[in-house]
Amino acid sequence: MTWRATVLTLFPEMFPGPLGVSLAGRALASEVWALEARDIRDSAMDRHRSVDDTPAGGGPGMVLRADVLAAAIDAADATSERPRLVMSPRGRPLTQARVADLAAGPGPLIVCGRFEGIDQRVIDARQLEEVSIGDYVLSGGEIAAMALIDACVRLLPGVMGKLESSTEESFSAGLLEYPQYTRPQLFEDRPIPEVLTSGDHAKVAAWRQAEAEALTRARRPDLWALRPAQITGPKSESRKSPKNKTDG
Ligand code: ADE
């Protein structure tokens, strides 16, 4: 079965958007995956086609109605066992592991929030999993849904070549990518690091590992603290490493 993303949105015209070009777009055209963008407003129940109302208890903005959104979910996904996600800054942060998990399944149904929020009862009643793509607030869930779908699609069989897969493994191993260089050899007085043009593959690998570790420690102490014990080399300062019991 083709991997399929179903998106429930008030702005279906935003799709496929960036998912229609480049890697994801080519895979979409060749039917490696399918995208279904459904308009939540098609499930509105009154003649004004209203989908939102003022928040119970007062406050600014508008809240997406539970009955309308539930009807939209049921129409899209009445019986399936697919993951049902709702993009929200208060969700669990998306990780590469969750992306891999979603890519391995049939493909999710994704609700895109707008307004101040979604009636909690539909989140509970339809068991929506809230997912965040970072600690900042977008004006709606659509761009977040696109980010999630893009991250999944590039993992589908046949979408990526070998080169990109190795990048994948590196991030999955818990380290940020080492810096890359290409011609010209000299750019504005900056040469390519000598080791990379030495032809010594072992030295190149060691340099890249050291750079990746240094970057991760400096920029992402959270990732550094989580890295699996087996990727720490003998010279690392891991407290877990039995060879370095006295280190840091
Ligand atoms: N909707 C608005 N902001 C978001 C975020 N950071 N992640 C997921 N969905 C969102």
Side-chain angles (χ1 to χ4, degrees), residues 11 28 31-32 37-38 44 46 59 62 75 86-87 91 140 183 197 225-226 236 241 246:
F11 301 96
L28 185 60
E31 297 180 10
V32 172
R38 299 175 65 106
D46 60 357
M62 300 290 270
V86 55
M87 305 314 297
R183 280 183 286 274
T197 49
L226 287 177
S236 88
S241 170
T246 56

mmCIF file of all heavy atoms in Angstrom, residues 11 28 31-32 37-38 44 46 59 62 75 86-87 91 140 183 197 225-226 236 241 246:
data_model
loop_
_atom_site.group_PDB
_atom_site.id
_atom_site.type_symbol
_atom_site.label_atom_id
_atom_site.label_comp_id
_atom_site.label_asym_id
_atom_site.label_seq_id
_atom_site.Cartn_x
_atom_site.Cartn_y
_atom_site.Cartn_z
ATOM 1 N N PHE A 11 -7.035 25.504 5.045
ATOM 2 C CA PHE A 11 -6.356 26.083 3.880
ATOM 3 C C PHE A 11 -5.776 24.991 2.979
ATOM 4 O O PHE A 11 -4.556 24.902 2.815
ATOM 5 C CB PHE A 11 -5.260 27.051 4.341
ATOM 6 C CG PHE A 11 -5.803 28.165 5.186
ATOM 7 C CD1 PHE A 11 -5.776 28.081 6.574
ATOM 8 C CD2 PHE A 11 -6.381 29.279 4.594
ATOM 9 C CE1 PHE A 11 -6.312 29.103 7.358
ATOM 10 C CE2 PHE A 11 -6.922 30.297 5.369
ATOM 11 C CZ PHE A 11 -6.883 30.213 6.750
ATOM 12 N N LEU A 28 6.138 12.169 -5.076
ATOM 13 C CA LEU A 28 4.677 12.326 -5.137
ATOM 14 C C LEU A 28 4.192 12.049 -6.557
ATOM 15 O O LEU A 28 3.229 11.302 -6.764
ATOM 16 C CB LEU A 28 4.300 13.746 -4.698
ATOM 17 C CG LEU A 28 2.813 14.097 -4.582
ATOM 18 C CD1 LEU A 28 2.105 13.203 -3.567
ATOM 19 C CD2 LEU A 28 2.641 15.571 -4.178
ATOM 20 N N GLU A 31 4.175 8.487 -7.442
ATOM 21 C CA GLU A 31 3.257 7.706 -6.600
ATOM 22 C C GLU A 31 3.945 6.803 -5.585
ATOM 23 O O GLU A 31 3.440 5.742 -5.227
ATOM 24 C CB GLU A 31 2.268 6.919 -7.479
ATOM 25 C CG GLU A 31 1.393 7.860 -8.290
ATOM 26 C CD GLU A 31 0.391 7.149 -9.182
ATOM 27 O OE1 GLU A 31 0.230 5.920 -9.052
ATOM 28 O OE2 GLU A 31 -0.240 7.826 -10.003
ATOM 29 N N VAL A 32 5.106 7.264 -5.121
ATOM 30 C CA VAL A 32 5.744 6.601 -3.974
ATOM 31 C C VAL A 32 4.939 6.918 -2.711
ATOM 32 O O VAL A 32 4.894 6.159 -1.766
ATOM 33 C CB VAL A 32 7.208 7.091 -3.813
ATOM 34 C CG1 VAL A 32 7.831 6.580 -2.534
ATOM 35 C CG2 VAL A 32 8.040 6.666 -5.015
ATOM 36 N N ALA A 37 -5.320 16.515 0.902
ATOM 37 C CA ALA A 37 -5.600 17.693 1.733
ATOM 38 C C ALA A 37 -7.108 17.915 1.736
ATOM 39 O O ALA A 37 -7.715 18.120 0.686
ATOM 40 C CB ALA A 37 -4.865 18.909 1.182
ATOM 41 N N ARG A 38 -7.700 17.850 2.913
ATOM 42 C CA ARG A 38 -9.161 17.952 3.014
ATOM 43 C C ARG A 38 -9.537 19.227 3.765
ATOM 44 O O ARG A 38 -8.920 19.563 4.782
ATOM 45 C CB ARG A 38 -9.721 16.727 3.745
ATOM 46 C CG ARG A 38 -9.423 15.412 3.026
ATOM 47 C CD ARG A 38 -9.888 14.235 3.844
ATOM 48 N NE ARG A 38 -11.334 14.201 3.995
ATOM 49 C CZ ARG A 38 -12.132 13.345 3.345
ATOM 50 N NH1 ARG A 38 -11.615 12.449 2.524
ATOM 51 N NH2 ARG A 38 -13.434 13.371 3.543
ATOM 52 N N ALA A 44 -18.585 21.624 8.035
ATOM 53 C CA ALA A 44 -19.371 22.600 8.808
ATOM 54 C C ALA A 44 -20.850 22.228 8.743
ATOM 55 O O ALA A 44 -21.293 21.586 7.786
ATOM 56 C CB ALA A 44 -19.152 24.007 8.251
ATOM 57 N N ASP A 46 -23.622 24.432 9.624
ATOM 58 C CA ASP A 46 -24.644 25.463 9.447
ATOM 59 C C ASP A 46 -24.497 26.128 8.075
ATOM 60 O O ASP A 46 -23.530 25.880 7.362
ATOM 61 C CB ASP A 46 -24.564 26.511 10.571
ATOM 62 C CG ASP A 46 -23.204 27.194 10.597
ATOM 63 O OD1 ASP A 46 -22.317 26.813 9.790
ATOM 64 O OD2 ASP A 46 -23.015 28.098 11.416
ATOM 65 N N GLY A 59 -11.804 35.109 26.758
ATOM 66 C CA GLY A 59 -10.435 35.183 26.250
ATOM 67 C C GLY A 59 -10.423 35.516 24.776
ATOM 68 O O GLY A 59 -11.470 35.523 24.132
ATOM 69 N N MET A 62 -10.452 32.603 18.636
ATOM 70 C CA MET A 62 -11.534 31.673 18.330
ATOM 71 C C MET A 62 -11.019 30.244 18.483
ATOM 72 O O MET A 62 -9.829 29.994 18.329
ATOM 73 C CB MET A 62 -12.007 31.872 16.894
ATOM 74 C CG MET A 62 -12.527 33.274 16.602
ATOM 75 S SD MET A 62 -14.098 33.578 17.430
ATOM 76 C CE MET A 62 -15.243 33.027 16.171
ATOM 77 N N ALA A 75 -15.036 11.587 8.502
ATOM 78 C CA ALA A 75 -15.232 11.486 7.051
ATOM 79 C C ALA A 75 -13.932 11.057 6.357
ATOM 80 O O ALA A 75 -13.958 10.342 5.359
ATOM 81 C CB ALA A 75 -15.709 12.819 6.490
ATOM 82 N N VAL A 86 -2.172 15.926 15.687
ATOM 83 C CA VAL A 86 -2.571 17.323 15.550
ATOM 84 C C VAL A 86 -1.329 18.173 15.813
ATOM 85 O O VAL A 86 -0.640 17.985 16.810
ATOM 86 C CB VAL A 86 -3.758 17.693 16.469
ATOM 87 C CG1 VAL A 86 -3.493 17.380 17.930
ATOM 88 C CG2 VAL A 86 -4.142 19.156 16.315
ATOM 89 N N MET A 87 -1.014 19.050 14.865
ATOM 90 C CA MET A 87 0.170 19.876 15.008
ATOM 91 C C MET A 87 -0.138 20.988 16.011
ATOM 92 O O MET A 87 -1.149 21.683 15.888
ATOM 93 C CB MET A 87 0.574 20.489 13.651
ATOM 94 C CG MET A 87 0.785 19.487 12.525
ATOM 95 S SD MET A 87 1.764 18.027 12.946
ATOM 96 C CE MET A 87 3.338 18.760 13.344
ATOM 97 N N GLY A 91 2.541 20.291 21.748
ATOM 98 C CA GLY A 91 2.688 18.848 21.589
ATOM 99 C C GLY A 91 4.050 18.342 22.031
ATOM 100 O O GLY A 91 4.932 19.117 22.386
ATOM 101 N N GLY A 140 -0.185 28.632 12.149
ATOM 102 C CA GLY A 140 -1.092 27.497 11.980
ATOM 103 C C GLY A 140 -0.283 26.230 11.844
ATOM 104 O O GLY A 140 0.950 26.280 11.740
ATOM 105 N N ARG A 183 35.253 22.380 -3.974
ATOM 106 C CA ARG A 183 36.029 23.367 -4.704
ATOM 107 C C ARG A 183 35.327 24.728 -4.684
ATOM 108 O O ARG A 183 34.103 24.763 -4.599
ATOM 109 C CB ARG A 183 36.230 22.894 -6.150
ATOM 110 C CG ARG A 183 37.348 21.880 -6.266
ATOM 111 C CD ARG A 183 37.560 21.485 -7.700
ATOM 112 N NE ARG A 183 36.490 20.598 -8.157
ATOM 113 C CZ ARG A 183 36.481 19.282 -8.004
ATOM 114 N NH1 ARG A 183 37.500 18.669 -7.415
ATOM 115 N NH2 ARG A 183 35.477 18.558 -8.430
ATOM 116 N N THR A 197 42.091 16.921 2.079
ATOM 117 C CA THR A 197 42.702 16.726 0.757
ATOM 118 C C THR A 197 43.936 15.830 0.851
ATOM 119 O O THR A 197 44.687 15.683 -0.107
ATOM 120 C CB THR A 197 43.068 18.086 0.124
ATOM 121 O OG1 THR A 197 43.782 18.878 1.078
ATOM 122 C CG2 THR A 197 41.822 18.850 -0.302
ATOM 123 N N ALA A 225 24.286 14.823 25.806
ATOM 124 C CA ALA A 225 24.033 14.075 27.042
ATOM 125 C C ALA A 225 23.293 12.765 26.763
ATOM 126 O O ALA A 225 23.406 11.813 27.528
ATOM 127 C CB ALA A 225 23.222 14.930 28.008
ATOM 128 N N LEU A 226 22.564 12.711 25.649
ATOM 129 C CA LEU A 226 21.744 11.536 25.332
ATOM 130 C C LEU A 226 22.440 10.521 24.455
ATOM 131 O O LEU A 226 21.905 9.440 24.219
ATOM 132 C CB LEU A 226 20.479 11.981 24.580
ATOM 133 C CG LEU A 226 19.398 12.692 25.363
ATOM 134 C CD1 LEU A 226 18.284 13.116 24.425
ATOM 135 C CD2 LEU A 226 18.848 11.784 26.463
ATOM 136 N N SER A 236 36.903 9.853 24.523
ATOM 137 C CA SER A 236 35.813 10.725 24.950
ATOM 138 C C SER A 236 35.838 10.878 26.462
ATOM 139 O O SER A 236 36.476 10.124 27.185
ATOM 140 C CB SER A 236 34.472 10.144 24.522
ATOM 141 O OG SER A 236 34.007 9.274 25.515
ATOM 142 N N SER A 241 31.806 5.672 30.134
ATOM 143 C CA SER A 241 32.816 4.813 29.553
ATOM 144 C C SER A 241 33.680 4.187 30.643
ATOM 145 O O SER A 241 34.303 4.889 31.430
ATOM 146 C CB SER A 241 33.697 5.626 28.604
ATOM 147 O OG SER A 241 34.803 4.859 28.230
ATOM 148 N N THR A 246 37.716 8.114 35.544
ATOM 149 C CA THR A 246 38.091 9.292 36.309
ATOM 150 C C THR A 246 37.807 10.580 35.559
ATOM 151 O O THR A 246 37.973 11.647 36.101
ATOM 152 C CB THR A 246 39.590 9.241 36.655
ATOM 153 O OG1 THR A 246 40.311 9.109 35.434
ATOM 154 C CG2 THR A 246 39.911 8.090 37.578
#
